Amino acid sequence: KIIGPDTSECGTYDAPVEEMQRYLRAVTGKLEHFQLSQKVDGTEISVNGWFNGSTFLHPFDCTVEEKRFLAGNLGPRTGCESNLVWMCQTPDLPDCTVVPIQSLLAREGYVGPIDLNSLITKDGNPLGLEWTARLGFDAVQAWAHLFDNSLGEQLAAFASGELTKWEVSDQLAVTLRVSMPPYPLWEPRVAQKFKGLPLDPRWLTDTTLTVDDVMLGPDGPQ
């Protein structure tokens, strides 16, 4: 990972130590601090559960996310290009990922979603990558499509401590970003270039589309 004051977040580059040093000198003109991470083969899967303060609600949901712009893991990193979300039919993945911290969550009085993104190796063991105590983009849009019109009522019941189980489809849900600005967009100089660009107004009328980072201007969405 390359981390510095002039970077939006970080960049990644796979290389031996000596090659990494040469790369950093070529890119930055000096040798920055860097961290080497173990490279492991596996399938990256996020497992998420909703905790009500004392226990998890069933079922848990899982997400497989593609980060690169093109199929086949090609193209620039976009942060989140597509998601596949489904509800766990067996306890295997939850039991070896998020469930082990149930007593910690209860002790802290935590209420809400908690997700562990892991690499699942070929022998079925998870190698944890990232904990997230929130709904993830764009998995939340796919997750919501697994519910009928009762999602709002179920969320309200969860917030009041009355929900005991999610009433949800056992089908698959998919999101796909069809427009992607350069990532990460929160870098102010980059974001300013895109502010105010007009968008097709049909984006606001198609119920299968979720529009993010959009404002209404005098001539329509921007």
Side-chain angles (χ1 to χ4, degrees), residues 3-8 30 32:
I3 304 173
D6 298 324
T7 59
S8 302
K30 56 184 177 180
E32 298 279 5

Side-chain angles (χ1 to χ4, degrees), residues 44-200:
E44 190 173 342
I45 299 178
S46 289
V47 181
N48 176 72
W50 288 75
F51 197 77
N52 66 4
S54 58
T55 189
F56 279 106
L57 270 64
H58 291 81
F60 296 81
D61 56 271
C62 295
T63 301
V64 173
E65 178 183 283
E66 291 287 343
K67 299 182 183 298
R68 292 191 178 271
F69 186 66
L70 301 173
N73 202 32
L74 300 175
R77 295 182 182 273
T78 60
C80 182
E81 175 62 21
S82 63
N83 282 272
L84 173 67
V85 178
W86 71 96
M87 296 295 168
C88 294
Q89 302 300 313
T90 66
D92 302 48
L93 279 175
D95 283 352
C96 67
T97 52
V98 294
V99 170
I101 67 165
Q102 181 167 267
S103 60
L104 171 63
L105 297 175
R107 187 166 67 246
E108 295 295 327
Y110 179 77
V111 176
I114 186 78
D115 176 280
L116 177 60
N117 187 32
S118 306
L119 276 177
I120 308 299
T121 61
K122 62 181 180 180
D123 56 6
N125 294 322
L127 178 64
L129 299 174
E130 177 187 31
W131 286 99
T132 306
R134 60 164 175 78
L135 291 171
F137 306 123
D138 299 338
V140 61
Q141 286 91 346
W143 178 80
H145 277 287
L146 293 173
F147 292 81
D148 57 20
N149 294 332
S150 68
L151 175 57
E153 288 78 5
Q154 291 193 59
L155 286 172
F158 173 81
S160 63
E162 300 172 357
L163 191 69
T164 58
K165 181 182 179 181
W166 294 109
E167 296 298 328
V168 61
S169 170
D170 60 0
Q171 301 298 305
L172 301 174
V174 177
T175 60
L176 175 67
R177 291 207 179 200
V178 296
S179 177
M180 176 65 66
Y183 174 82
L185 190 58
W186 54 79
E187 206 288 320
R189 291 171 296 180
V190 177
Q192 191 62 34
K193 297 178 181 179
F194 293 89
K195 185 176 181 179
L197 290 179
L199 296 175
D200 190 326

Side-chain angles (χ1 to χ4, degrees), residues 7-37:
T7 59
S8 302
E9 187 184 37
C10 67
T12 58
Y13 180 70
D14 295 333
V17 175
E18 296 78 8
E19 188 173 338
M20 178 69 79
Q21 291 174 335
R22 293 197 304 271
Y23 173 78
L24 288 172
R25 289 192 179 98
V27 171
T28 66
K30 56 184 177 180
L31 185 59
E32 298 279 5
H33 294 292
F34 65 91
Q35 173 183 324
L36 288 180
S37 300

